[in-house]
């Protein structure tokens, strides 16, 4: 018998509590963003009924399809790679963009936010493992990148995000430690549009370690909803 979404969420919250308390952190300060890529509105509503308040979408089209059905029930986050020409479709729908990784994207976010009369909260995506297959800026370029964003008044840098290399928990720990160091450095930056509040790291396979190392947003899909069923045609 498969476990229910509610049981899965309960287990995740228990795990977060256990690992947060282990390092003297308050588990209530850690936000679960349910990664809802490929999952339908009814499935997501089940998760919301079980206490999920925030969901993360990877694709602009999917976000726009689900948004009308869920906008009054949940906060939307954009957690995938964001193409510049798609910014206009999400700018007034999401609470937080997790994947700011280039100046051209910042320029477009700023422009579209200004048009809508809002300040867009963003996380800077860091490629902590230096993997060619992943987006994000190199860790050593963080300070320069943040400085370049200073001129954009309609963007607020709220923290950092990473997708760590897919490794066993103890092998991934050093990457999360490095992210926490970068996050602490970000807190020291005195810039009008920087307010370091969120460290978004940890997914289904490694969120417990991420919590121990300082994550206060974890992005979890498979452990909530089960394995994704992709369309295998084509």
């Amino acid at each position: 018998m498969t476990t229910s979404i509610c049981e899965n969420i309960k287990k995740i919250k228990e795990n977060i509590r256990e690992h947060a308390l282990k390092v003297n952190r308050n588990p209530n300060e850690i936000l679960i963003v349910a990664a809802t890529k490929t999952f339908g509105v009814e499935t997501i509503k089940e998760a919301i009924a079980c206490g999920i308040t925030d969901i993360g979408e990877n694709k602009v089209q999917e976000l726009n399809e689900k948004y009308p059905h869920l906008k009054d029930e949940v906060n939307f986050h954009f957690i995938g790679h964001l193409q510049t020409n798609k910014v206009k479709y999400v700018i007034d729908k999401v609470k937080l963009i997790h994947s700011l990784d280039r100046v051209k994207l910042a320029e477009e976010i700023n422009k579209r936010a200004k048009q809508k009369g809002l300040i867009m909260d963003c996380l800077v995506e860091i490629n902590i493992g230096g993997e060619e297959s992943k987006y994000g800026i190199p860790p050593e370029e963080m300070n320069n990148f943040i400085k370049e964003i200073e001129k954009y008044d309609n963007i607020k840098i709220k923290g950092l995000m990473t997708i760590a290399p897919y490794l066993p928990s103890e092998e991934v720990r050093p990457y999360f430690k490095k992210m926490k160091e970068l996050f602490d450095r970000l807190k020291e930056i005195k810039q009008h549009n920087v307010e370091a509040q969120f460290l978004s790291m940890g997914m289904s396979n490694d969120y417990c370690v991420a919590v121990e190392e300082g994550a206060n947003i974890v992005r979890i899909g498979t452990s909530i909803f089960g394995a994704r069923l992709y369309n295998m045609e084509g």
Side-chain angles (χ1 to χ4, degrees):
M1 185 180 147
T2 56
T3 55
S4 72
I5 285 172
C6 275
E7 287 172 310
N8 290 342
I9 291 168
K10 185 176 176 221
K11 180 65 180 165
I12 290 161
K13 286 182 173 177
E14 284 170 4
N15 287 341
I16 287 173
R17 179 177 175 78
E18 178 192 334
H19 288 272
L21 292 176
K22 186 174 160 185
V23 292
N24 298 313
R25 295 188 64 203
N26 180 356
N28 299 325
E29 291 173 355
I30 297 154
L31 175 68
I32 298 169
V33 172
T36 46
K37 178 173 72 173
T38 77
F39 296 111
V41 168
E42 293 312 311
T43 304
I44 297 167
K45 283 189 173 185
E46 265 188 78
I48 294 168
C50 300
I52 289 296
T53 57
D54 293 70
I55 65 171
E57 281 292 338
N58 289 67
K59 304 253 187 255
V60 171
Q61 186 181 340
E62 263 194 83
L63 189 149
N64 277 286
E65 285 167 2
K66 295 169 190 177
Y67 183 79
H69 306 284
L70 297 168
K71 63 183 171 72
D72 298 327
E73 297 180 51
V74 76
N75 297 311
F76 277 78
H77 297 235
F78 194 80
I79 60 176
H81 180 66
L82 184 54
Q83 294 171 280
T84 312
N85 63 349
K86 300 281 178 71
V87 171
K88 59 180 177 282
Y89 301 116
V90 302
I91 196 74
D92 56 350
K93 297 181 179 72
V94 299
K95 176 185 178 182
L96 189 63
I97 292 172
H98 288 232
S99 47
L100 176 56
D101 63 352
R102 57 204 189 280
V103 173
K104 194 97 183 124
L105 179 60
E107 189 183 331
E108 183 67 14
I109 290 170
N110 189 70
K111 182 177 101 173
R112 297 295 177 179
K114 198 169 190 177
Q115 287 171 355
K116 295 282 184 182
L118 51 89
I119 307 291
M120 190 69 238
D121 289 344
C122 297
L123 305 181
V124 172
E125 182 172 3
I126 304 287
N127 186 348
I128 199 64
E131 296 171 279
E132 285 185 17
S133 60
K134 293 203 173 106
Y135 296 102
I137 64 164
E140 63 275 12
E141 289 178 21
M142 182 187 81
N143 284 44
N144 288 339
F145 182 76
I146 299 293
K147 188 71 186 159
E148 286 193 73
I149 307 301
E150 188 169 19
K151 58 181 181 259
Y152 300 120
D153 292 336
N154 290 74
I155 287 178
K156 180 78 81 175
I157 301 293
K158 299 288 280 191
L160 304 176
M161 181 274 260
T162 201
I163 302 170
Y166 193 86
L167 294 166
S169 59
E170 284 312 310
E171 289 178 43
V172 82
R173 190 180 294 277
Y175 294 101
F176 290 144
K177 277 187 188 297
K178 177 70 175 164
M179 279 302 299
K180 179 60 164 61
E181 288 167 17
L182 289 173
F183 183 56
D184 289 340
R185 265 177 37 204
L186 182 67
K187 288 179 179 176
E188 299 300 313
I189 294 175
K190 304 292 182 234
Q191 190 169 303
H192 75 95
N193 61 349
V194 172
E195 189 183 300
Q197 192 177 344
F198 301 117
L199 180 54
S200 172
M201 61 184 192
M203 292 157 48
S204 289
N205 60 304
D206 56 16
Y207 71 92
C208 292
V209 185
V211 165
E212 287 182 13
E213 296 302 335
N216 56 15
I217 296 180
V218 291
R219 309 178 307 275
I220 301 177
T222 307
S223 290
I224 293 175
F225 301 108
R228 290 186 170 85
L229 297 173
Y230 290 98
N231 184 345
M232 300 308 283
E233 292 175 11

